[in-house]
Amino acid sequence: MKQIIRYTLALAAFATVAAPMMYGPALAEPAPAASAWEIGPIIGRRNYSVNMPLRPTPVREGFTIEFPGPERADGHVHYVTFDPGSLEGASKIRFTYRIDAVPGVRFVPQEFPERPATIALFFQRRGDNWRAKGKYEHYRWFAPRDSLQELRPGTHTMTVSLDDEWISVLARPRSERPEIFDQSLKEAGRVGFVLGSRGGYGHGVFATGPARLTVTGFEIL
């Protein structure tokens, strides 16, 4: 029987960085609390999201993350994930978010500052050692390249099928080892989104001025 895991974050009024914006009434259906999400990744005892809190900030419509900046040395945010349990039987992920920023603010990949900053969906098999060697090459999976979105102000939705051509941490396609991909879904330990650039999906982003990302919807269907 198809397993459906549904997480919908409520919509409500929210004061943006630049000016107040009003939204409709909150949705009744609950979502993982901000406390369930982790800003990381944490590898060993090091959090690669430099100068970021461990948890996002809860708001009525979901949760927010303030981008660090204005310089790389001020910090950068990489992975934002939670533990959904197994993704076996799921068919797609739908993610809705809003970015608010003061006019003129740029989003900058900390590793490749000359490239556009991007956001992408991600999941990880439980038990990953983060070394991407041997079997662990296929423990982290990133959404297809054509699903990446550049960071820019506004409200955006990203819907990606789990039958699409996801890629592993060393850019090996799902179709090359579909049985391993399916096992990774079955044994999923983290799911969420990553910030970086093409060629460095989760390698971190900062902003040159006041900016925030608000997650208003995350559904595993």
Side-chain angles (χ1 to χ4, degrees):
M1 179 177 181
K2 179 180 177 181
Q3 178 186 17
I4 300 178
I5 310 170
R6 183 180 176 88
Y7 297 114
T8 302
L9 299 170
L11 297 175
F14 169 71
T16 69
V17 174
M21 298 173 63
M22 300 299 292
Y23 292 85
L27 298 178
E29 193 165 343
S35 60
W37 293 77
E38 179 181 279
I39 302 174
I42 299 171
I43 305 173
R45 297 183 179 180
R46 176 183 175 186
N47 192 329
Y48 281 74
S49 281
V50 176
N51 291 337
M52 293 295 297
L54 182 62
R55 311 294 178 192
T57 301
V59 294
R60 284 190 62 200
E61 57 189 325
F63 65 80
T64 66
I65 296 168
E66 303 287 343
F67 284 91
E71 304 291 339
R72 179 183 184 275
D74 298 315
H76 27 89
V77 55
H78 293 234
Y79 286 53
V80 183
T81 63
F82 72 100
D83 185 348
S86 176
L87 297 178
E88 186 176 23
S91 63
K92 60 186 174 182
I93 299 174
R94 181 182 299 130
F95 171 41
T96 304
Y97 65 97
R98 189 179 72 250
I99 292 179
D100 299 295
V102 170
V105 166
R106 294 184 300 108
F107 298 96
V108 184
Q110 66 92 20
E111 184 179 46
F112 301 110
E114 74 284 358
R115 300 179 183 177
T118 62
I119 187 168
L121 289 172
F122 162 87
F123 78 92
Q124 182 178 28
R125 186 172 176 176
R126 200 175 302 277
D128 189 11
N129 69 0
W130 293 94
R131 295 178 182 175
K133 294 182 179 180
K135 69 178 183 179
Y136 296 106
E137 177 185 342
H138 301 286
Y139 270 56
R140 273 172 280 159
W141 293 92
F142 301 87
R145 291 181 178 88
D146 61 4
S147 72
L148 263 68
Q149 295 181 359
E150 293 185 11
L151 293 177
R152 63 186 189 279
T155 298
H156 312 280
T157 297
M158 182 185 299
T159 303
V160 182
S161 170
L162 291 168
D163 289 329
D164 286 345
E165 194 74 298
W166 289 63
I167 56 175
S168 69
V169 64
L170 297 183
R172 310 302 297 186
R174 169 191 174 275
S175 59
E176 188 174 278
R177 300 297 299 273
E179 74 287 356
I180 292 180
F181 181 83
D182 290 344
Q183 191 66 26
S184 297
L185 289 173
K186 183 177 181 179
E187 299 179 13
R190 309 296 299 181
V191 67
F193 58 93
V194 296
L195 300 159
S197 67
R198 293 184 182 274
Y201 279 24
H203 292 192
V205 169
F206 65 91
T208 60
R212 70 176 56 161
L213 184 153
T214 302
V215 174
T216 60
F218 198 95
E219 300 169 286
I220 302 172
L221 304 171

